[in-house]
Amino acid sequence: MHIDESLGELLRQSKRVTVLTGAGVSAESGVPTFRNAQTGLWAQYDPHQLATPEAFERDPKLVWDWYAWRRELVARASPNPAHHALARLEKMVAHFTLVTQNVDDLHRRAGSENIIELHGNILRTICSRDRQEVRDWADDGNMPPLCPRCGGLLRPAVVWFGEALPPQALSAALAASQTCEVFLSVGTSSLVEPAASLSFAAVRSGATLVEINPDETPVSRIAHFALRGNAADILPRLCDMI
Ligand code: NAD
């Protein structure tokens, strides 16, 4: 995949760069995207049916167990060259914001600092009643465990399909999208709102949109540069050009 030299030049001159990442960035770390088939025990379940408040209400143990499995998967995974390249890019740009839909913490582990987690973080746990973080709970066999403060069910600190995004994270992400010179949309299918609309907001505000994805997505038609391939291959090469 050839990367146009003008893109390297543009990034070199840009003071404000915002990046939106999705599950594709972690695919090469062995964390499956929702659109890829799941493996083993969980192959029979559709993640879109598990990552919902309705699923948790119907069968909280099933949803808790699925997240426990995903947490283990993430704990065993390591950041890949795409995560490392984005941490490198942050150091080269004056104002850099990384907006991620990923809940796997791999950007932080790779060294990225200015991160907006739009969909939460799988490593944290909250009470399903008051949404406050819970760090410790009794290991008395309850699945999900119960909140030590109020007895409510504990759940992962992630945003499920149909739930609202944390308003502060969303407004910070929108502001970063509307003020950047270059916006990179990496490894996201751009099907999940409102994250997908960030690319459109950036272009409307005059940013150059760069998409990195092996497949076309709904934002491809407005992208100024469409780099078709794996993020772990393209991002390090892009950094080398700056
Ligand atoms: P998605 O599963 O909808 O789409 C993934 C996209 O990544 C696809 O467009 C695919 O073509 C692309 N892709 C696959 N491999 C790639 C690679 N190597 N390099 C670049 N792109 C690649 O993911 P989404 O758009 O992030 O939305 C799904 C939702 O699921 C999000 O809300 C997210 O929170 C959640 N999710 C998170 C994780 C994670 O934290 N790692 C994993 C799965 C799903």
Side-chain angles (χ1 to χ4, degrees):
M1 228 277 334
H2 170 74
I3 305 177
D4 202 299
E5 173 52 36
S6 65
L7 181 54
E9 181 62 27
L10 178 67
L11 280 166
R12 208 173 304 135
Q13 287 172 4
S14 296
K15 297 204 163 31
R16 292 184 179 272
V17 174
T18 297
V19 182
L20 172 68
T21 63
V25 168
S26 294
E28 270 145 342
S29 293
V31 182
T33 66
F34 276 6
R35 266 151 262 274
N36 284 348
Q38 303 201 86
T39 51
L41 276 181
W42 294 100
Q44 58 177 310
Y45 295 100
D46 175 359
H48 296 93
Q49 305 295 321
L50 290 173
T52 67
E54 293 77 21
F56 190 67
E57 212 161 286
R58 208 168 41 238
D59 195 342
K61 181 178 182 317
L62 179 74
V63 174
W64 178 268
D65 286 348
W66 183 57
Y67 276 97
W69 172 73
R70 290 184 65 83
R71 254 197 307 274
E72 268 174 40
L73 214 117
V74 161
R76 278 201 307 270
S78 303
N80 68 53
H83 298 104
H84 290 298
L86 289 173
R88 226 171 106 203
L89 186 60
E90 181 166 2
K91 296 196 167 42
M92 300 187 219
V93 177
H95 302 280
F96 180 91
T97 307
L98 179 57
V99 182
T100 187
Q101 298 167 87
N102 294 346
V103 297
D104 56 27
D105 214 39
L106 291 176
H107 284 303
R108 190 167 290 111
R109 284 170 57 192
S112 286
E113 287 176 12
N114 192 22
I115 308 173
I116 298 174
E117 288 177 326
L118 277 186
H119 293 165
N121 189 311
I122 201 175
L123 302 182
R124 287 191 284 111
T125 299
I126 54 174
C127 171
S128 57
R129 285 187 186 150
D130 64 8
R131 306 289 168 115
Q132 296 304 305
E133 184 165 4
V134 175
R135 290 174 194 268
D136 250 326
W137 54 83
D139 189 10
D140 53 11
N142 273 312
M143 281 305 157
L146 303 178
C147 172
R149 289 189 298 263
C150 73
L153 296 179
L154 296 186
R155 57 163 280 183
V158 298
V159 178
W160 283 329
F161 291 108
E163 291 186 322
L165 270 65
Q168 275 179 337
L170 184 56
S171 57
L174 190 59
S177 308
Q178 289 172 325
T179 52
C180 65
E181 295 149 73
V182 182
F183 186 97
L184 275 79
S185 170
V186 192
T188 173
S189 59
S190 292
L191 292 171
V192 181
E193 287 294 354
S197 59
L198 295 176
S199 299
F200 288 89
V203 169
R204 268 198 308 274
S205 302
T208 298
L209 176 63
V210 184
E211 177 175 60
I212 301 177
N213 196 313
D215 294 331
E216 283 202 13
T217 76
V219 308
S220 303
R221 65 186 170 80
I222 58 159
H224 301 93
F225 294 89
L227 308 182
R228 296 272 162 253
N230 292 336
D233 166 41
I234 292 175
L235 278 170
R237 286 171 51 207
L238 196 55
C239 280
D240 288 343
M241 291 168 72
I242 304 174

